[in-house]
């Protein structure tokens, strides 16, 4: 187990390096720069600005300097928010993003698995069809449509919940964004759980469990659930990635002070260092969560444990 | 005193998109305590569904009708909670494929102790000790260590031994073994059959053995019932059946079996034709299309299973096979 952890951490390093490199050069390929404004600054001022941020250096030199900085934990200054370093901005936005993302993940797993299992246990009945309809809706309606719809219904018509904002991060402010973010993942996980659960329920070892005279709750909870959850666990990697990208949209729509908002804004502003900062944070997050998923998979499937 | 197991008029039907499938029809069987009965038949003859129906294990689209009495009590179509006082306790079952019949995600220990926890109210340490003892009894060496392993760490024969140990945990009165050796190597087959015979003698339990192999039944059972197309066509003491099969199908089965015990083995004879289509069974005798002795009455009238001798029954219009 420890061996696997170390190995996977080591493999993560070159992956991260590749991501940083690709992101670094891609954002530079985009036309325009951080100091192009509608009102042009004088060439003299622009030269000074570029010099101050090392942007007058050859690209490879800039890349080298950036990499050295990142290795020391320095993401550089933001080109847009002049008084802040990227690190400060990320640190400020990180808690809100993590709260939003982890709650959405939790919701997606708990609700998704429960709905999927219910669909499988009551296969081809009203409950099953209700679950599958909900899942289909969740998958087909994109977040940027679902979020304003939820706001419209619960924030404006019913006026139960705030339309946007973060407040102190209390549940009233959290509810809509978390649900909107989790909904597509709930749908995927429910479908996945239902499918694998139906397969497992037909397995010979479930028949054995019943022949042993075990209570149905043990047959399902102990014998069926573990096997049925394996595909869900392996899907958790993509789920976390989807939640991260989804949070970019959700944070923008609900005005949540997380790092997702910065990701969009800074890309539009050509705030090179800020874009890179968010990319690195997201990349590390996804790599770590995928590692976590692999470890979890290892715990669940004894055949994988062997190696 | 009622027999241990009395099956009367058992019918099993499956609703499928292509119509109703009759897996078993009018099946009558009795089994005394401690007795061993083999049910033989080819694939699709309904022998497996028969025992699954007894334990309430039919697939969701299956319906069973008739009566199955165990120790005098009706157990057919009982709700699961009531059935769970019988299955795993008084009637235990082992399955054809030990590779897929054990849960791959749970340790052997968990799959064994849960039975004792559920039915005998033992705590985990006590149950574990009992399980280790039983594993040793079915011939698994180093049981104290291996009980903590997962099924994939066992060979096929060892897994079937584990299945047998699980089945015997509550000292059942009846053990149902559905093709217990079919998925195993020939040498391992013999070991498992020997084990079953030894355990039956030690524990005094009745055995219901399902197989397509008459040879397996010959070694393990006192009586045999031959199934064809969802019906029992002949029932006899095993020696009597081998000596003089009374039903044309039984004779066909014996004739297609390689024998080492005959002085001049002769050629193996195949039964002509195909097994019946269970969605469109012929009127009259189900075996008639393949029967070399069929006559007019076989076409119109279905032969009932009737007693020939006190211990022999057959479902055939012929008084004697030519």
């Amino acid at each position: 187990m420890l061996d696997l952890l170390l190995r996977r951490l080591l493999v993560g390093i070159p992956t991260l390096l590749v991501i940083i490199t690709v992101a670094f050069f891609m954002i530079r390929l985009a036309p325009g720069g951080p100091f192009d404004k509608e009102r042009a600054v004088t060439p003299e001022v622009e030269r000074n600005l570029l010099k101050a941020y090392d942007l007058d250096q050859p690209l490879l030199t800039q890349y080298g300097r950036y990499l050295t900085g990142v290795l020391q934990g320095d993401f550089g200054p933001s080109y847009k928010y002049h008084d802040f370093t990227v690190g400060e901005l990320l640190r400020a936005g990180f808690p809100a993003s993590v709260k939003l993302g982890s709650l959405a993940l939790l919701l997606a797993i708990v609700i998704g698995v429960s709905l999927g299992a219910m669909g499988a246990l009551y296969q081809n009945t009203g409950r099953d069809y209700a679950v599958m309809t909900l899942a289909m809706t969740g998958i087909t309606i994109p977040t940027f449509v679902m979020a304003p719809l939820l706001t419209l219904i619960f924030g404006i018509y019913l006026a139960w919940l705030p339309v946007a904002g973060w407040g102190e991060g209390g549940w009233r402010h959290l509810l809509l964004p978390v649900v909107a973010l989790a909904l597509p993942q709930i749908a995927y996980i429910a479908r996945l759980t239902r499918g694998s659960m139906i397969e497992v329920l037909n397995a010979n070892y479930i028949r054995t469990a019943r022949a042993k005279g075990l209570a149905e709750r043990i047959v399902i909870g102990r014998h069926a659930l573990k096997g049925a959850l394996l595909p869900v666990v392996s899907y958790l990697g993509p789920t976390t990635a989807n939640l991260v990208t989804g949070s970019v949209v959700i944070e923008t729509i609900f005005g949540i002070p997380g790092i997702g908002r910065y990701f969009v804004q800074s890309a539009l502003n050509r705030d090179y260092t800020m874009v890179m900062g968010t990319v690195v944070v997201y990349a590390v997050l996804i790599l770590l969560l995928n590692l976590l998923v692999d470890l979890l998979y290892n715990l669940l499937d004894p055949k994988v444990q062997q190696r | 005193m009622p027999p241990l197991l009395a099956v009367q008029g058992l019918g099993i039907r499956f609703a499928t998109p292509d119509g109703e499938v009759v897996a078993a029809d009018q099946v009558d069987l009795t089994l005394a305590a401690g007795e061993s009965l083999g049910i033989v038949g080819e694939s699709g003859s309904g022998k497996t569904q028969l025992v699954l129906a007894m334990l309430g294990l039919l697939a969701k689209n299956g319906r069973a009708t008739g009566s199955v009495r165990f120790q005098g009590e009706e157990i057919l179509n009982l709700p699961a909670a009531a059935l769970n006082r019988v299955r795993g306790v008084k009637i235990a079952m082992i399955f054809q494929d030990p590779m897929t019949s054990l849960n791959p995600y749970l340790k052997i220990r968990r799959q064994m102790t849960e039975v004792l926890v559920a039915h005998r109210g033992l705590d985990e340490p006590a149950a574990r000790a009992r399980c280790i003892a039983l594993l040793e009894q079915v011939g698994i060496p180093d049981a104290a260590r291996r009980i903590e392993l997962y099924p994939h760490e066992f060979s096929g024969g060892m897994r079937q031994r584990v299945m047998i140990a699980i089945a015997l945990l509550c000292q059942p009165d009846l053990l149902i073994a559905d093709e217990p050796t079919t998925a195993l190597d020939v040498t391992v087959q013999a070991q498992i059959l020997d084990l079953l015979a030894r355990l039956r003698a030690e524990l005094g339990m009745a055995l219901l053995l399902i197989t397509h192999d008459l040879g397996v039944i010959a070694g393990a059972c006192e009586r045999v019932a031959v199934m064809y197309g969802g019906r029992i066509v002949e029932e006899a003491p095993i020696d009597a059946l081998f000596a003089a099969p009374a039903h044309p199908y039984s004779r066909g089965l014996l004739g297609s079996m390689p024998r080492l015990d005959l002085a001049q083995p002769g050629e193996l004879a195949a039964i002509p034709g195909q097994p019946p289509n269970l969605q469109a069974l012929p009127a009259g005798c189900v075996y008639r299309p393949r029967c070399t002795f069929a006559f007019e009455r076989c076409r119109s009238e279905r032969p009932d299973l009737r007693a020939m001798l006190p211990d022999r029954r057959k479902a055939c219009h012929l008084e004697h096979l030519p």
Side-chain angles (χ1 to χ4, degrees):
Chain A
M1 201 66 157
L2 196 69
D3 178 49
L4 175 91
L5 184 74
L6 286 176
R7 210 167 49 215
R8 287 294 309 270
L9 278 176
L10 279 178
V11 174
I13 293 172
T15 313
L16 196 58
L17 204 63
V18 170
I19 292 171
I20 292 177
T21 309
V22 171
F24 184 90
F25 289 105
M26 268 178 70
I27 187 71
R28 300 303 172 108
L29 277 178
F35 307 114
D36 295 340
K37 301 225 173 73
E38 283 172 30
R39 198 166 53 125
V41 291
T42 59
E44 210 136 317
V45 173
E46 190 177 354
R47 242 197 324 280
N48 282 337
L49 273 170
L50 291 178
K51 193 173 168 59
Y53 289 115
D54 283 343
L55 290 174
D56 55 346
Q57 302 286 326
L59 203 52
L60 276 179
T61 316
Q62 290 182 39
Y63 173 67
R65 281 188 186 169
Y66 182 74
L67 220 51
T68 327
V70 167
L71 284 180
Q72 293 161 357
D74 176 15
F75 291 101
S78 167
Y79 295 158
K80 194 71 188 176
Y81 307 92
H82 294 288
D83 294 333
F84 298 97
T85 66
V86 171
E88 282 166 349
L89 291 169
L90 289 177
R91 264 194 296 281
F94 196 64
S97 289
V98 166
K99 199 167 177 181
L100 176 68
S102 48
L103 282 175
L105 183 63
L106 194 69
L107 195 72
I109 295 172
V110 172
I111 304 287
V113 167
S114 312
L115 285 180
M118 192 173 83
L121 291 177
Y122 297 94
Q123 201 190 343
N124 297 332
T125 64
R127 283 190 230 195
D128 185 21
Y129 296 139
V131 168
M132 292 314 285
T133 310
L134 189 77
M136 215 30 147
T137 319
I139 288 171
T140 43
I141 299 183
T143 314
F144 59 83
V145 177
M146 186 55 89
L149 264 178
L150 287 175
T151 312
L152 199 63
I153 297 170
F154 296 101
I156 294 176
Y157 292 156
L158 297 172
W160 289 349
L161 294 165
V163 169
W166 187 244
E168 296 294 308
W171 70 269
R172 284 172 53 81
H173 283 93
L174 272 168
L175 199 56
L176 284 183
V178 167
V179 168
L181 182 56
L183 217 51
Q185 304 312 314
I186 290 176
Y188 271 115
I189 290 178
R191 281 175 63 95
L192 208 59
T193 309
R194 178 183 178 272
S196 63
M197 190 75 161
I198 286 174
E199 204 178 302
V200 168
L201 285 177
N202 284 322
N204 284 345
Y205 62 82
I206 296 300
R207 192 177 60 188
T208 308
R210 294 216 165 97
K212 288 198 281 191
L214 301 175
E216 191 65 11
R217 105 194 110 75
I218 292 183
V219 174
I220 303 298
R222 183 182 295 161
H223 284 269
L225 206 55
K226 213 171 173 187
L229 281 185
L230 278 179
V232 178
V233 170
S234 36
Y235 179 67
L236 283 185
T239 299
T240 52
N242 288 338
L243 284 177
V244 165
T245 44
S247 72
V248 173
V249 178
I250 292 291
E251 286 183 14
T252 309
I253 291 178
F254 287 96
I256 292 167
I259 56 179
R261 281 188 319 166
Y262 292 133
F263 190 62
V264 183
Q265 282 167 15
S266 50
L268 294 174
N269 292 336
R270 305 285 184 274
D271 190 345
Y272 295 153
T273 44
M274 194 66 209
V275 170
M276 290 306 297
T278 43
V279 165
V280 170
V281 169
Y282 282 149
V284 169
L285 213 59
I286 290 175
L287 285 174
L288 283 182
L289 286 168
N290 271 298
L291 176 59
L292 202 68
V293 166
D294 282 0
L295 292 180
L296 202 59
Y297 203 94
N298 247 18
L299 280 180
L300 280 176
D301 192 346
K303 286 190 199 170
V304 181
Q305 270 170 26
Q306 284 301 288
R307 324 197 312 106
Chain B
M1 190 172 143
L4 182 71
L5 180 76
V7 178
Q8 273 178 345
L10 182 64
I12 301 167
R13 284 170 175 74
F14 290 94
T16 73
D18 307 323
E20 189 177 68
V21 172
V22 180
D25 193 23
Q26 289 297 318
V27 172
D28 294 346
L29 276 178
T30 55
L31 192 62
E35 198 190 5
S36 59
L37 171 69
I39 299 181
V40 69
E42 55 199 287
S43 305
S45 60
K47 52 195 194 302
T48 295
Q49 298 306 328
L50 189 71
V51 291
L52 290 181
M54 290 180 200
L55 293 183
L57 297 174
L58 286 181
K60 270 189 182 150
N61 60 343
R63 288 281 165 277
T65 53
S67 160
V68 176
R69 291 182 158 270
F70 181 76
Q71 295 176 337
E73 281 180 56
E74 181 64 50
I75 60 165
L76 190 67
N77 295 328
L78 279 186
L83 258 181
N84 286 345
R85 287 199 294 271
V86 176
R87 54 184 184 187
V89 191
K90 293 176 177 171
I91 307 179
M93 183 160 178
I94 57 178
F95 294 94
Q96 174 168 359
D97 187 356
M99 299 301 183
T100 58
S101 294
L102 288 167
N103 191 326
Y105 306 116
L106 297 177
K107 285 179 182 173
I108 298 300
R109 172 173 55 78
R110 165 63 73 206
Q111 302 190 49
M112 293 189 79
T113 56
E114 63 181 2
V115 177
L116 291 172
V117 171
H119 297 308
R120 292 285 185 257
L122 294 187
D123 61 1
E124 188 69 23
R128 184 173 181 273
R130 169 99 184 88
C131 294
I132 291 173
L134 205 51
L135 283 177
E136 280 164 357
Q137 200 181 346
V138 300
I140 292 181
D142 200 7
R145 182 182 66 84
R146 297 174 92 170
I147 196 171
E148 299 295 339
L149 298 181
Y150 288 93
H152 71 270
E153 297 169 270
F154 287 75
S155 68
M158 282 294 158
R159 279 188 228 188
Q160 197 59 295
R161 283 173 195 265
V162 171
M163 283 298 294
I164 293 171
I166 291 175
L168 298 183
L169 278 170
C170 294
Q171 292 160 314
D173 298 309
L174 170 61
L175 177 67
I176 299 174
D178 179 16
E179 303 264 12
T181 57
T182 307
L184 303 175
D185 292 342
V186 177
T187 48
V188 182
Q189 282 186 13
Q191 291 171 9
I192 294 293
L193 288 172
D194 285 348
L195 174 69
L196 280 176
R198 177 169 66 81
L199 290 168
R200 197 171 78 80
E202 282 171 17
L203 305 171
M205 61 185 175
L207 175 70
L208 191 56
L209 179 71
I210 317 287
T211 179
H212 63 271
D213 187 348
L214 268 174
V216 167
I217 289 186
C221 297
E222 295 150 5
R223 259 192 319 138
V224 58
V226 181
M227 271 191 93
Y228 183 83
R231 281 157 199 166
I232 292 180
V233 293
E234 179 169 5
E235 191 194 329
I238 186 74
D239 297 338
L241 185 96
F242 270 80
H247 193 280
Y249 178 63
S250 312
R251 182 192 271 184
L253 273 186
L254 280 171
S256 60
M257 197 176 94
R259 301 277 292 265
L260 293 175
D261 56 334
L262 298 182
Q264 286 184 314
E267 273 199 28
L268 286 182
I271 302 175
Q274 299 289 322
N277 175 4
L278 296 175
Q279 273 165 261
L281 287 173
C285 176
V286 268
Y287 188 59
R288 196 258 312 148
R290 301 172 75 181
C291 184
T292 41
F293 308 109
F295 56 105
E296 203 42 49
R297 192 176 164 205
C298 304
R299 192 177 293 277
S300 54
E301 187 186 333
R302 191 181 133 194
D304 289 327
L305 190 62
R306 60 197 164 88
M308 304 155 58
L309 293 166
D311 58 354
R312 291 198 73 164
R313 297 189 296 163
K314 74 167 174 177
C316 181
H317 291 310
L318 284 174
E319 277 311 312
H320 301 284
L321 276 190

